[in-house]
Amino acid sequence: MKPSPPAPPTPPPIAHLRTRPVSVGNWRAFLAVARHLNFRAAADEMALTQSAVSRQIQALEEEVGVPLFLRHTRAVELTTAGGQLFQTLTPALERLDAAVRMVRQSAGRKNVALTTWASFASMWLIPRLEDFQRSYPDIDIRIDASDNLVDMDTSDVDLALRSAVPGTQAAGAVRLFGEQLCVAGSPWLLKSRPPVKTPADVAGFTLIEAGDAHRLPYFEWITWRRWFEVNGVSRLQPQRWLYFNYAQQIAQSTLAGQGLSLARMPLIADSLAAGDLVEVLPGHRLDSPLAYWLLVGPRSAQRPEVQAFRAWLLLQAQLTREAIGEIPDPDMRDDLA
């Protein structure tokens, strides 16, 4: 009889996959050993004994379920799993440390968090902030400039600046100012062309407009096409069109002399006052259905720093109304005070 073939080797036991989260207490010991590849150097860095660091690494390996280091007589080497964790954990822990530093630095300091959309922050709010900082140097300001609406009931935001059609604004919002649009251009562009005396004369220029204006219902009210209709030149065709996504981009293109735009007067009031932009055909402004509003978070209204910033914003809004020649609606006078 032929001898029976040897039995195949018994496969190593399959490691039990851990499903519970790994505790974070031993990660710093792991990073120290992984950086130095030496238990003694890691222990010196952490001001611990070498045996204490070794116990932390063993505990972590038991939690993860696989070896993280290959231990040689005079050297330590990361396993493949250990290398993967080291590459992932290092930037994550650095971000955590940076966040803790920020929290520590801000502890005990007064701060106000505000949300608004990017173009309004760039064109109206930020140019004015130095005035507030001079008056209140001990108050830190954090601005979240995003087109996404923030839930004031659940977020840590104190104030919101928003635009909305009157009647659709959030409850408790205070009206800052309304909006008109004017035909605006750079002085040197206007000097290089024949004078613009009638609405039909804008056809000799590139006209700048928001690219999504025709896809949003009430934005149709602030388009060149509506301006043409209001001014009796509905068949007018300009030299060319130039489209952008944001009001700030439209203003920058207008300042650069790339064409004429229907500009939002509250946002370019400073540029008009400085002479960087010129209002063309001032008798042909276009009314907008939008207004600008200030909303205070429900948990923030009584904080003195929030009250100070709110009062400053209302003062800046009053200056803007004066600059654009807005006469407040009598029904809104209490809100505008």
Side-chain angles (χ1 to χ4, degrees):
M1 291 180 61
K2 293 183 180 179
S4 300
T10 302
I14 299 175
H16 178 64
L17 295 178
R18 307 297 179 97
T19 57
R20 61 187 176 88
V22 177
S23 59
V24 300
N26 299 323
W27 284 125
R28 290 194 184 276
F30 167 75
L31 286 179
V33 176
R35 280 195 302 270
H36 295 286
L37 294 179
N38 184 288
F39 278 84
R40 182 177 297 278
D44 291 342
E45 176 186 317
M46 301 183 67
L48 297 173
T49 64
Q50 185 173 337
S51 60
V53 172
S54 180
R55 286 195 299 272
Q56 287 181 308
I57 297 302
Q58 289 174 357
L60 182 61
E61 288 176 326
E62 291 177 1
E63 285 197 285
V64 174
V66 296
L68 302 178
F69 294 98
L70 298 175
R71 295 158 176 83
H72 306 296
T73 303
R74 296 182 180 275
V76 177
E77 180 183 354
L78 280 164
T79 64
T80 300
Q84 291 174 339
L85 286 175
F86 180 65
Q87 293 295 324
T88 301
L89 183 61
T90 300
L93 202 57
E94 288 175 352
R95 290 196 297 270
L96 177 61
D97 288 341
V100 171
R101 285 194 298 272
M102 289 182 63
V103 170
R104 286 172 174 168
Q105 290 169 1
S106 61
R109 291 184 61 87
K110 300 175 183 177
N111 64 86
V112 177
L114 180 142
T115 179
T116 188
W117 69 102
S119 291
F120 190 77
S122 299
M123 298 177 68
W124 190 86
L125 179 58
I126 293 175
R128 292 166 167 77
L129 267 183
E130 185 179 355
D131 177 78
F132 180 82
Q133 292 173 319
R134 283 197 302 266
S135 300
Y136 298 93
D138 60 333
I139 299 178
D140 298 332
I141 304 298
R142 176 167 62 88
I143 299 174
D144 175 17
S146 170
D147 291 340
N148 297 323
L149 291 182
V150 175
D151 187 343
M152 302 290 287
D153 293 325
T154 59
S155 72
D156 61 350
V157 170
D158 301 308
L159 298 166
L161 294 170
R162 295 174 177 168
S163 64
V165 176
T168 66
Q169 74 274 13
V174 175
R175 185 181 184 275
L176 298 177
F177 37 78
E179 181 177 78
Q180 280 189 316
L181 294 99
C182 70
V183 180
S186 71
W188 65 267
L189 173 66
L190 295 169
K191 289 178 181 177
S192 68
R193 304 290 183 88
V196 180
K197 297 181 178 180
T198 68
D201 294 334
V202 305
F205 295 81
T206 298
L207 298 186
I208 306 168
E209 187 168 77
D212 59 357
H214 298 279
R215 294 197 296 271
L216 300 173
Y218 52 79
F219 278 5
E220 280 283 357
W221 287 76
I222 59 176
T223 61
W224 274 109
R225 291 298 178 192
R226 181 167 178 266
W227 189 88
F228 294 164
E229 293 172 0
V230 169
N231 289 282
V233 289
S234 57
R235 296 181 179 273
L236 185 145
Q237 290 295 328
Q239 188 180 77
R240 68 180 64 85
W241 292 98
L242 187 56
Y243 297 102
F244 293 98
N245 290 337
Y246 298 102
Q248 181 186 8
Q249 296 168 340
I250 292 174
Q252 289 175 332
S253 179
T254 309
L255 286 164
Q258 296 171 354
L260 302 180
S261 65
L262 268 182
R264 297 180 172 193
M265 292 194 64
L267 304 187
I268 65 161
D270 293 342
S271 295
L272 291 173
D276 298 323
L277 288 177
V278 175
E279 181 179 2
V280 183
L281 300 171
H284 295 269
R285 294 179 182 178
L286 185 64
D287 289 326
S288 163
L290 295 173
Y292 296 75
W293 308 84
L294 170 63
L295 187 64
V296 182
R299 297 184 301 276
S300 305
Q302 302 307 315
R303 285 169 42 208
E305 59 270 29
V306 174
Q307 293 175 347
F309 197 60
R310 177 186 182 276
W312 177 81
L313 286 170
L314 293 178
L315 175 60
Q316 297 303 311
Q318 178 183 338
L319 296 175
T320 296
R321 291 195 302 274
E322 293 171 358
I324 63 178
E326 179 181 287
I327 300 175
D329 183 328
D331 292 337
M332 305 299 297
R333 286 189 185 277
D334 290 342
D335 284 342
L336 294 174

